[in-house]
């Protein structure tokens, strides 16, 4: 006889990973054992350090927040799980106590999935296992748990879809360096230094691995004085050694590293620690084999002598983004990786351009990235925004000096264009004489924008307050920044103009909670996610950090996280804004990859009901932050 509740649970589960990887019969077996939990806002599902349970969880309706518990007992938001999101998988993978606290963000329904039933149904399903390990690694890769979990190997999770390289035999070190269990730590360290290795395996008389010593062990246990340098290796080694067999695949090796939070895998004759040690597989061995990883891409860019080579390397980064998104890698990690790659591309473009110039630069200069790259939020190819600052020169030499740097900038922007970054339609580039000036001229420009503001000046200048030094003299950037913040202290009118700009686009939902879409033109009926969702958050974050004299934080989500620290009374609002920005950026990036462009405009008809729901959730903080800005800067009386 049919069980209507189990059928409804099964029908929901089958729409989401990892359950969509299971056969219908197995899915129904799981659904029959699922516990349905009803939660009010503020209800706690589990707390940090609670013993692991017999369940992991999936949100059916509503949302559940994951928090890190700070030393002062305050909570810091790490993630928000919406409908279809899996969380609390640590007991399934590692059998460890919970590292985060789960609290209902609103009235919610949560499915508690029994681990034993799930394991029986998903036995030997590699894709299911990979997804759950990724879910654990994703939640673990935050500033609070990454250290506890060692250096979890999230960068290079295997992508099993048509990826032959992951199934090739891992290329491990065939002549491992080891030491006997009777050796002292000093002897082991000397051996590590001699062979320039980061770990050494401790073995018994039969050359079976019994422990491993890494540089971290020496740092944490010897350098701190916990043990003397002549202590036995058995006192400081980590045991047991996680091992694999001689013919293990790259994917198998990666999964073992992820599961156990390690960077070295002992290779033995039969794959167990009870047989002879024959090799060591390291983190470095894996990324070298994979090739398409940040380290390799950065090396390619730095070695490139031609634009074609830079472009080829940067295109690999797009593949990397897609792989990361498919594996649910945290968007903050993706941002960090791609920002470094984009910065390396610009630096190499400048280096190549300098070689083409007829003479070295006449004076010191600095190249600034503006806009999304300046905020370190440029993931997909978009237009380039940049500026150049050079040292002051005598008036008679100014035109000649500026001309030199304009020529240099044209070479750089041309290279960036060939790599894939379009020219800025508004010509906000260092190749424009308006944005290639001496430090004194730039100071005057910013003072004028700040102390004599109007709508046009604010519209033009906003992008220039998100600058990031990419290449050149640090002192020029410091000098300009000091001038900007000194000028900001002398004005309140400028902030009112910025505020007016920040609230000009209201939350993108109409009266009946429908999306506000474009009404005419080539993008009619499409949703502009950049203009209507991302930019209001970007503008609000910029305004608030400038008003609070916060320096050195350009990223939008980091700005809101910093504001949450500075204003505990508004912590919930600011953390919600940080989360919403990250979720929206991730959504935009996914759509861009899917459609093969930057994806400012989204066809809502192609989204699932769940995707639309998640998108709408991100709009909630917009109204709150805009109303807060109106009150903070008394904008109603100004307008």
């Amino acid at each position: 006889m049919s069980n209507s509740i189990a059928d409804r649970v099964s029908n929901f589960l089958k729409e989401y990973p990892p359950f969509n990887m299971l056969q219908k019969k197995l899915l129904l077996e799981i659904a029959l054992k699922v516990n349905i939990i009803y939660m009010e806002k503020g209800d706690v599902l589990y707390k940090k350090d609670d013993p692991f349970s017999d369940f992991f969880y999936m949100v059916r309706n509503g949302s559940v927040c994951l928090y890190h518990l700070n030393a002062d007992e305050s909570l810091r938001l790490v993630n928000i799980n919406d409908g279809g999101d899996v969380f609390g998988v640590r007991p399934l993978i590692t059998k460890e106590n919970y590292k985060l606290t789960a609290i209902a963000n609103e009235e919610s329904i949560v499915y508690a999935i029994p681990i034993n039933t799930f394991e029986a149904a998903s036995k030997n399903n590699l894709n299911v296992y990979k997804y759950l390990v990724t879910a654990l690694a994703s939640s673990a890769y935050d500033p609070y748990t990454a250290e506890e979990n060692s250096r979890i190997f999230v960068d290079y999770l295997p992508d099993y879809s048509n990826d032959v390289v992951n199934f090739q035999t891992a290329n491990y070190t065939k002549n491992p360096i080891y030491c006997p269990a009777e050796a002292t730590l000093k002897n082991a360290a000397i051996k590590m230094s001699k062979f320039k290795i980061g770990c050494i395996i401790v073995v018994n008389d039969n050359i079976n691995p019994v422990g491993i010593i890494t540089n971290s062990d020496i740092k944490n246990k010897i350098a701190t004085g916990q043990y003397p340098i002549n202590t036995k290796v058995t006192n400081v080694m980590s045991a047991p050694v996680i091992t694999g067999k001689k013919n293990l695949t790259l994917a198998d090796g990666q999964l073992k590293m992820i599961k156990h939070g390690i960077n070295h895998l002992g290779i033995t004759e039969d794959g167990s620690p009870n047989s002879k040690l024959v090799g060591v597989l390291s983190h470095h061995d894996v990324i070298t084999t994979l090739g398409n990883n940040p380290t390799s891409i950065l090396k390619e860019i730095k070695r490139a002598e031609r634009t074609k080579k830079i472009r080829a390397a940067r295109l690999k980064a797009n593949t990397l983004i897609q792989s990361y998104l498919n594996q649910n890698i945290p968007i903050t990690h993706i941002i960090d990786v791609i920002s470094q790659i984009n910065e390396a591309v610009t630096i190499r473009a400048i280096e190549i351009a300098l070689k083409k110039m007829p003479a070295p630069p006449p004076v010191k200069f600095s190249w600034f990235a503006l806009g999304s790259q300046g905020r370190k939020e440029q993931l997909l190819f978009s237009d380039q925004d940049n500026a150049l600052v050079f040292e002051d020169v005598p008036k008679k030499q100014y035109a000649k000096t500026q001309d030199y740097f304009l020529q240099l900038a044209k070479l750089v922007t041309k290279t960036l264009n060939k790599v894939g970054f379009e020219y800025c339609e508004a010509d906000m580039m260092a190749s424009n004489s308006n944005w290639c000036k001496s430090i004194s001229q730039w100071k005057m420009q910013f003072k004028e924008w700040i102390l004599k503001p109007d709508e046009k000046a604010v519209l033009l200048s906003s992008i220039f307050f998100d600058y990031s030094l990419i290449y050149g003299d640090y002192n020029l950037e410091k000098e300009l920044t000091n001038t900007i913040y000194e000028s900001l202290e002398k004005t309140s009118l400028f902030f009112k103009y910025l505020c007016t700009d920040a609230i000009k686009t209201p939350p993108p939902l109409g009266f009946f909670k429908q999306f506000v879409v474009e009404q005419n033109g080539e993008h009619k009926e499409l949703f502009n996610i950049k203009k209507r969702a991302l930019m209001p958050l970007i503008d609000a974050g910029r305004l608030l950090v400038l008003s609070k004299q916060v320096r050195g934080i350009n990223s939008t989500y980091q700005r809101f996280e910093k504001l949450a620290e500075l204003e505990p009374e508004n912590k919930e609002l600011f953390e919600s804004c940080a989360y919403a920005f990250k979720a929206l950026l991730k959504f935009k990036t996914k759509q861009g990859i899917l459609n093969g462009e930057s994806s400012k405009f989204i066809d809502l008809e192609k989204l699932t009901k769940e995707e639309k729901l998640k998108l709408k959730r991100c709009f909630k903080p917009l109204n709150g932050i805009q109303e807060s800005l109106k009150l903070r800067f008394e904008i109603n009386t100004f307008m």
Side-chain angles (χ1 to χ4, degrees):
M1 186 176 188
S2 174
N3 184 318
S4 59
I5 295 178
D7 286 339
R8 286 200 296 271
V9 173
S10 177
N11 287 335
F12 180 79
L13 294 178
K14 72 180 182 181
E15 298 298 322
Y16 300 95
F19 303 99
N20 59 1
M21 305 172 193
L22 299 175
Q23 296 176 0
K24 184 177 180 181
K25 178 183 176 182
L26 296 174
L27 199 56
L28 190 57
E29 290 177 7
I30 295 172
L32 286 166
K33 299 292 181 68
V34 165
N35 288 348
I36 301 176
I37 302 172
Y38 298 89
M39 302 180 70
E40 297 288 339
K41 181 176 180 178
D43 285 352
V44 178
L45 187 60
Y46 56 80
K47 294 182 178 179
K48 181 179 183 291
D49 294 327
D50 278 354
F52 64 85
S53 71
D54 297 326
F55 301 90
F56 68 101
Y57 305 97
M58 173 181 257
V59 178
R60 173 62 177 87
N61 295 114
S63 59
V64 176
C65 294
L66 297 180
Y67 293 95
H68 171 72
L69 183 65
N70 296 320
D72 61 0
E73 299 299 312
S74 62
L75 296 174
R76 185 176 181 101
L77 182 67
V78 173
N79 195 21
I80 301 179
N81 298 289
D82 293 306
D85 288 342
V86 171
F87 66 100
V89 298
R90 184 170 294 278
L92 179 63
I93 305 297
T94 66
K95 307 300 182 187
E96 294 177 349
N97 293 348
Y98 292 105
K99 301 292 185 182
L100 301 172
T101 297
I103 302 176
N105 191 42
E106 58 189 297
E107 186 178 352
S108 304
I109 297 175
V110 174
Y111 289 159
I113 319 294
I115 289 174
N116 289 340
T117 304
F118 179 81
E119 286 181 330
S122 60
K123 187 177 181 181
N124 298 323
N125 191 321
L126 188 61
N127 285 332
V128 169
Y129 177 68
K130 176 233 175 179
Y131 178 85
L132 291 169
V133 169
T134 303
L136 173 62
S138 298
S139 65
Y141 199 91
D142 69 78
Y144 316 107
T145 58
E147 185 175 349
E148 295 168 359
N149 288 280
S150 186
R151 285 173 287 177
I152 290 184
F153 202 42
V154 296
D155 289 53
Y156 313 107
L157 291 166
D159 179 359
Y160 294 100
S161 57
N162 302 315
D163 195 350
V164 178
V165 69
N166 282 292
F167 290 100
Q168 72 182 53
T169 301
N171 185 23
Y172 55 85
T173 301
K174 300 295 193 301
N175 298 303
I177 306 301
Y178 54 82
C179 67
E182 298 78 25
T184 66
L185 192 281
K186 181 178 180 179
N187 291 334
I190 290 173
K191 210 168 190 179
M192 291 170 66
S193 177
K194 178 182 177 181
F195 289 98
K196 298 180 180 179
I197 54 177
C199 77
I200 190 167
I201 306 292
V202 181
V203 299
N204 60 19
D205 292 340
N206 296 319
I207 320 299
N208 302 151
V210 296
I212 183 171
I213 294 173
T214 66
N215 287 331
S216 294
D217 293 317
I218 297 173
K219 177 185 70 175
N220 295 328
K221 297 176 182 178
I222 303 301
T224 59
Q226 186 177 350
Y227 293 95
I229 189 67
N230 286 316
T231 190
K232 281 192 173 183
V233 290
T234 50
N235 290 330
V236 295
M237 70 184 188
S238 299
V241 179
I242 307 303
T243 56
K245 54 190 176 182
K246 289 191 290 186
N247 60 346
L248 93 164
T249 64
L250 195 62
D252 290 336
Q254 285 181 288
L255 287 174
K256 281 180 178 287
M257 288 182 179
I258 295 165
K259 180 176 180 179
H260 298 284
I262 58 175
N263 291 302
H264 299 89
L265 197 67
I267 307 300
T268 61
E269 288 184 337
D270 66 5
S272 78
N274 300 315
S275 63
K276 184 179 178 181
L277 180 74
V278 295
V280 175
L281 178 67
S282 70
H283 172 150
H284 181 265
D285 295 329
V286 174
I287 65 173
T288 300
T289 305
L290 278 175
N292 191 27
N293 61 79
T295 304
S296 296
I297 292 172
L298 287 168
K299 285 182 179 178
E300 282 187 48
I301 293 169
K302 290 175 181 178
R303 289 195 300 259
E305 294 295 336
R306 298 175 58 193
T307 303
K308 185 177 180 181
K309 294 288 186 180
I310 301 176
R311 176 173 170 77
R314 181 55 183 81
L315 286 172
K316 288 184 179 181
N318 281 1
T319 304
L320 197 65
I321 294 172
Q322 184 168 8
S323 174
Y324 281 177
L325 290 172
N326 289 342
Q327 297 164 75
N328 203 29
I329 300 301
I331 190 67
T332 51
H333 185 56
I334 300 175
I335 290 171
D336 288 343
V337 169
I338 303 304
S339 294
Q340 289 185 51
I341 291 173
N342 287 340
E343 186 172 314
V345 168
T346 306
I347 290 172
R348 194 63 188 136
I350 295 170
E351 290 172 342
I352 291 174
L354 284 168
K355 291 180 181 179
K356 294 179 180 179
M357 294 297 290
V363 292
K364 293 180 181 178
F365 73 99
S366 295
W367 183 280
F368 290 164
L370 309 174
S372 58
Q373 189 184 3
R375 294 189 302 273
K376 302 185 185 299
E377 295 163 357
Q378 188 181 49
L379 297 181
L380 302 177
F381 283 126
S382 61
D383 60 347
Q384 48 178 301
D385 301 298
N386 43 61
L388 191 147
V389 184
F390 55 85
E391 279 185 318
D392 286 329
V393 294
K395 189 175 181 179
K396 289 189 293 185
Q397 298 177 17
Y398 189 88
K400 184 177 180 181
T401 303
Q402 185 185 46
D403 185 62
Y404 175 93
F405 287 113
L406 284 171
Q407 289 183 48
L408 174 67
K410 286 175 182 176
L411 290 173
V412 176
T413 55
K414 183 178 180 180
T415 296
L416 293 175
N417 178 255
K418 288 183 177 180
V419 169
F421 297 99
E422 297 292 333
Y423 289 121
C424 175
E425 291 184 4
D427 202 19
M428 288 186 175
M429 299 182 294
S431 52
N432 180 339
S433 59
N434 289 326
W435 318 128
C436 176
K437 297 187 284 196
S438 69
I439 183 64
S440 292
Q441 291 293 316
W442 271 112
K443 288 179 180 180
M444 289 174 58
Q445 178 69 81
F446 273 98
K447 285 179 180 178
E448 184 175 342
W449 281 335
I450 295 169
L451 300 177
K452 299 178 181 179
D454 56 34
E455 291 182 8
K456 183 179 179 181
V458 168
L459 183 65
L460 189 65
S461 67
S462 290
I463 190 174
F464 287 91
F465 285 92
D466 294 335
Y467 63 78
S468 178
L469 176 65
I470 300 296
Y471 184 96
D473 188 67
Y474 166 75
N475 290 321
L476 290 173
E477 187 232 17
K478 185 178 179 181
E479 194 176 338
L480 181 59
T481 300
N482 287 339
T483 297
I484 289 171
Y485 281 92
E486 288 168 5
S487 299
L488 288 172
E489 289 180 340
K490 302 174 183 177
T491 182
S492 61
L493 184 61
F494 178 71
F495 295 122
K496 291 184 184 294
Y497 273 103
L498 279 185
C499 183
T500 303
D501 194 53
I503 64 173
K504 68 184 178 186
T505 305
L509 292 177
F511 184 77
F512 296 104
K513 301 298 181 182
Q514 298 300 309
F515 287 92
V516 175
V517 297
E518 302 303 296
Q519 296 300 310
N520 46 55
E522 62 175 309
H523 301 299
K524 185 178 180 181
E525 301 300 326
L526 299 181
F527 175 64
N528 189 332
I529 191 171
K530 180 180 179 180
K531 174 185 175 182
R532 298 190 181 276
L534 285 165
M535 285 310 301
L537 288 170
I538 291 168
D539 292 339
R542 179 194 303 117
L543 166 60
L544 288 167
V545 296
L546 287 175
S547 70
K548 285 191 164 291
Q549 294 275 315
V550 175
R551 304 189 185 198
I553 301 179
N554 280 11
S555 168
T556 301
Y557 79 88
Q558 289 179 340
R559 283 172 167 172
F560 281 117
E561 289 174 349
K562 182 63 178 179
L563 289 164
E565 292 178 19
L566 296 174
E567 295 186 11
E569 68 275 16
N570 293 314
K571 179 180 177 182
E572 184 176 353
L573 174 61
F574 291 142
E575 287 187 341
S576 295
C577 288
Y579 170 78
F581 179 81
K582 289 185 284 187
L584 287 166
L585 184 61
K586 185 173 183 178
F587 195 93
K588 176 180 179 291
T589 305
K590 279 186 172 182
Q591 291 296 310
I593 288 175
L594 187 65
N595 300 318
E597 39 87 23
S598 63
S599 199
K600 294 178 185 177
F601 296 93
I602 294 175
D603 186 352
L604 297 171
E605 296 301 316
K606 294 182 180 180
L607 303 185
T608 65
K609 182 179 179 181
E610 287 75 21
E611 285 175 327
K612 290 179 183 178
L613 179 62
K614 288 186 177 184
L615 198 52
K616 286 181 179 180
R617 286 190 192 282
C618 294
F619 304 153
K620 287 185 178 181
L622 276 178
N623 184 64
I625 195 65
Q626 290 187 339
E627 290 301 314
S628 173
L629 292 180
K630 290 178 185 177
L631 292 173
R632 187 184 297 251
F633 296 99
E634 300 177 338
I635 201 65
N636 288 328
T637 58
F638 177 67
M639 296 172 69

